[in-house]
Each structure stands twice: as structure tokens, then as C-alpha cells.
């Protein structure tokens, strides 16, 4: 029997944003309202059958400013609550801008077989028609669904897995997509309609190791430095050379098309790889993934977007460090 407690961790974002003008959906300040007050503003959350909500403010930031230290704190708080038998699920309120990165980070490091549901809003809490309250309700509905598990994102009535979810639009309320994979399911009037299965990776081999590795990180400068570079018309190698000189341990390149790289940038990336820097190719294309070819000089990101490939590489480098 699942526990009946749902822990709601607040991290900020537009869902907690306020504007001086109620009609203003862009000129607001993110991360102003505490997570307890966000829940208070949704009457239906005050009377959940057989379920209690507990809040904790883990951070209060615009998610454009997300960093590894906040991710670590969030993961440790998730792990703490997930091992509590009374806890059924975790809901995380988050900004939309880096939600997919946080979801992927948590997916990579947490092992519990319970739901961890990230939710968000495209309009501030002071909007005339805010989307946050409905998204919160839907996130809690997912958290209460029998059999739900894994790190998922819930917004605009859709449930997305951590691997596929990507913010696709800077303004629309339905800003997220899982590309070719499509959403895992929908939340309709409080009921989940699942299209496939829940994410099943949470017992993956990497997880325990990655969690121990992030537990050991003692300060912000201890994260392996992994940078993103983009291949584009007129790209040059100087940026890569400078990053290597400056101590980058990994580089993810957002390539053109099927993993191709401007020749000048490629030469610098090959120099970096020869010097011991890990280099991974993802693609600038928002759909699909790089199809590797025999003899590729630079490895591909196994279908991860550039920002998620950066996280995977950072965790891999962290796991390789001696304890
Ligand atoms: C943020 O990502 O924190 C601000 C933007 C948003 O939540 O939509």
C-alpha cells in the first residue's frame, strides 16, 4: 500500500511569478510566491481524499539560473523523502526554461520506484488566466495515480517522460513536447490516460553510482566542467581551444543535421579529444537523433538533446572520479 503523503518541493519559476499588472503575461518576476501559498490558492488541493500535502521550499529561482548545486540539493531532498514509506510521491514546482534539464538530472540520479512529477506554468500566478493552478492539480493527480513511477513532467494536460521532454515554445501554454516519442499520456479532469508505460529506468545501473557521486560533491567547483558549443555557418575552433585551456573536461557539440560539424570546429574538437577532453555530438535538430556511422571520429549522444547530453556527460565524468 502506497503512503498517503505527497511532498511538494518548490524551486521557483513563472508558476511562482508575480506581475504588477494582472494582464501582463511577460513582464513579471519569476519565483516570488512560496510553494505553500501556491497550494493554498488551489481550493481543490485542500480536500484530497486520503492524501496530505507537505511543502518544502528547496529554492526560489528563475530556472534560467538553475545550477548543479541546486540540482544536488533537490536530488538529496527527493531521495530523503522517497525513502520514507509514508511518502507516495514528490511534486516539484519549477520554471519552464530548464525544467527538461532538471527532469533529466533527477531521472539519472534517483532510484526510487515512486513518481517524481515536475510541473510549471507559462503564465505568472497573477495572470488573469494562470495555468499554474491547473498544472498543479494535474501533477497531484499523476502523483496519486496507482502504479505511477519515474520522473515525469506535467503541463497543459500532458505527461512527458524526462528523456523526451523539451520546451518547444517560448510563450504558448502548451510549450512542451516529447518530439517523435509523443507524451506518455494525458490528465483529463483529474484522471490519467496513459498511452504507454511509465518510465522504467529508475533502477538503472547508473543511478546508484550517480547518486553516490553527487552526494560526494562538496562545492560548486567540484562539478566536472562540461560546455556546449554549436556548429553553425562560419563556426571557428577558437572557442573550443579557449574552453580547453580554461579547464573544460567535456564538450557537447550541437551539430548540424545528422551530427555534422563545420570543418574548422571539428578540427578543434578533435584536438580537444586528443588532449583527453570528452567530446559528444548531439544535433541542433529538435526532432530525431544523430544516426551514428561506422568510423565516426566523435561519439554521438545516443539520442539526447544537447542540454541533456551535457548532463549525462557531466555525471559520467563525476562517476569516473575516484571516491
Ligand atoms: C523560469 O523558467 O523560471 C521562468 C520561465 C518560466 O517558468 O516559464
Amino acid at each position: 500500500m502506497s503512503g498517503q503523503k505527497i511532498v511538494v518541493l518548490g524551486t521557483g519559476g513563472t508558476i511562482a511569478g508575480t506581475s504588477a499588472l494582472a494582464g501582463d503575461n511577460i513582464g513579471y518576476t519569476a519565483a516570488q510566491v512560496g510553494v505553500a501559498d501556491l497550494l493554498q490558492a488551489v481550493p481543490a488541493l485542500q480536500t484530497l481524499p486520503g492524501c496530505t500535502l507537505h511543502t518544502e521550499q528547496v529554492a526560489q529561482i528563475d530556472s534560467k539560473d538553475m545550477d548543479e548545486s541546486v540540482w544536488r540539493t533537490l536530488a538529496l531532498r527527493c531521495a530523503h523523502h522517497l525513502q520514507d514509506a509514508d511518502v507516495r510521491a514528490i511534486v516539484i514546482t519549477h520554471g519552464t526554461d530548464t525544467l527538461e534539464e532538471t527532469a533529466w538530472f533527477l531521472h539519472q540520479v534517483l532510484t526510487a520506484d515512486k513518481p517524481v512529477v515536475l510541473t510549471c506554468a507559462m503564465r505568472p500566478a497573477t495572470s488573469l488566466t494562470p495555468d499554474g493552478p491547473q498544472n498543479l492539480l494535474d501533477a497531484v493527480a499523476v502523483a496519486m495515480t496507482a502504479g505511477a513511477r519515474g520522473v515525469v513532467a506535467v503541463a497543459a494536460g500532458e505527461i512527458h517522460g524526462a528523456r523526451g521532454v523539451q520546451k518547444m515554445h517560448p510563450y504558448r501554454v502548451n510549450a512542451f513536447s516529447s518530439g517523435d516519442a509523443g507524451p506518455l499520456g494525458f490528465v483529463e479532469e483529474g484522471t490519467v490516460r496513459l498511452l504507454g508505460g511509465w518510465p522504467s529506468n529508475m533502477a538503472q545501473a547508473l543511478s546508484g553510482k550517480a547518486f553516490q557521486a553527487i552526494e560526494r560533491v562538496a562545492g560548486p567547483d567540484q562539478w566536472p566542467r562540461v560546455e556546449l558549443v554549436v556548429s553553425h555557418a562560419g563556426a571557428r575552433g577558437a572557442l573550443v581551444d579557449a574552453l580547453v585551456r580554461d579547464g573544460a573536461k567535456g564538450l557537447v557539440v550541437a551539430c548540424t543535421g545528422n551530427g555534422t560539424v563545420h570543418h574548422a570546429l571539428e578540427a578543434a574538437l578533435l584536438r580537444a579529444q586528443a588532449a583527453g577532453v570528452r567530446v559528444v555530438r548531439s544535433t541542433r535538430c529538435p526532432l530525431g537523433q544523430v544516426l551514428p556511422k561506422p568510423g565516426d571520429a566523435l561519439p554521438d549522444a545516443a539520442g539526447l538533446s544537447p542540454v541533456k547530453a551535457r548532463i549525462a556527460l557531466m555525471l559520467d565524468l563525476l562517476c569516473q572520479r575516484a571516491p
Side-chain angles (χ1 to χ4, degrees):
M1 170 84 176
S2 301
Q4 294 308 316
K5 205 198 270 189
I6 294 176
V7 177
V8 186
L9 304 177
T11 71
T14 293
I15 191 168
T18 58
S19 165
L21 293 173
D24 190 352
N25 288 328
I26 55 171
Y28 60 86
T29 308
Q32 301 300 300
V33 184
V35 63
D37 290 336
L38 290 182
L39 297 190
Q40 277 300 324
V42 186
L45 290 178
Q46 312 314 314
T47 53
L48 290 173
C51 209
T52 55
L53 299 181
H54 295 253
T55 59
E56 186 177 316
Q57 196 77 47
V58 173
Q60 187 64 303
I61 59 171
D62 186 319
S63 82
K64 72 179 174 56
D65 298 325
M66 185 54 71
D67 62 23
E68 290 81 6
S69 299
V70 179
W71 279 342
R72 178 179 181 275
T73 305
L74 188 58
L76 296 186
R77 292 315 293 157
C78 285
H80 167 83
H81 292 298
L82 288 169
Q83 54 80 41
D84 179 346
D86 289 339
V87 171
R88 181 188 188 105
I90 293 178
V91 170
I92 300 171
T93 57
H94 198 288
T96 60
D97 285 341
T98 58
L99 181 142
E100 70 213 54
E101 296 177 58
T102 300
W104 180 242
F105 181 87
L106 295 176
H107 176 93
Q108 293 263 280
V109 302
L110 295 176
T111 51
D113 201 16
K114 296 177 183 177
V116 176
V117 187
L118 289 96
T119 195
C120 55
M122 290 297 287
R123 295 178 180 162
T126 49
S127 172
L128 288 174
T129 52
D131 51 331
Q134 185 66 51
N135 286 345
L136 259 175
L137 260 180
D138 289 350
V140 170
V142 170
M144 291 176 70
T145 297
R149 63 164 192 272
V151 180
V152 298
V154 170
E158 296 180 347
I159 310 166
H160 295 276
R163 186 179 175 96
V165 68
Q166 199 169 344
K167 186 172 178 179
M168 292 291 201
H169 201 282
Y171 179 71
R172 278 187 205 143
V173 169
N174 60 338
F176 290 92
S177 166
S178 290
D180 292 345
L184 297 177
F186 303 97
V187 189
E188 296 162 336
E189 297 299 305
T191 299
V192 168
R193 177 162 63 93
L194 206 57
L195 300 180
W198 295 102
S200 61
N201 80 307
M202 293 187 90
Q204 64 172 296
L206 172 70
S207 301
K209 217 174 151 200
F211 186 77
Q212 287 157 19
I214 68 158
E215 261 188 316
R216 288 195 297 269
V217 172
D221 55 343
Q222 291 198 359
W223 295 92
R225 179 143 166 234
V226 179
E227 298 282 354
L228 262 176
V229 293
V230 181
S231 188
H232 53 85
R236 291 172 178 78
L239 180 59
V240 165
D241 294 333
L243 288 171
V244 172
R245 276 197 305 277
D246 204 40
K249 299 287 181 262
L251 295 168
V252 173
V253 53
C255 299
T256 39
N258 189 32
T260 52
V261 185
H262 189 287
H263 67 88
L265 184 61
E266 186 173 36
L269 290 167
L270 290 171
R271 276 197 297 279
Q273 185 172 254
V277 174
R278 291 271 302 278
V279 180
V280 170
R281 287 177 306 134
S282 180
T283 177
R284 295 178 0 181
C285 297
L287 296 176
Q289 63 183 73
V290 173
L291 299 175
K293 300 186 296 302
D296 279 339
L298 298 170
D300 69 281
L304 294 175
S305 68
V307 290
K308 290 181 191 173
R310 193 192 84 82
I311 292 167
L313 181 52
M314 182 183 71
L315 289 172
D316 198 28
L317 287 165
L318 196 61
C319 287
Q320 284 169 15
R321 274 196 200 147

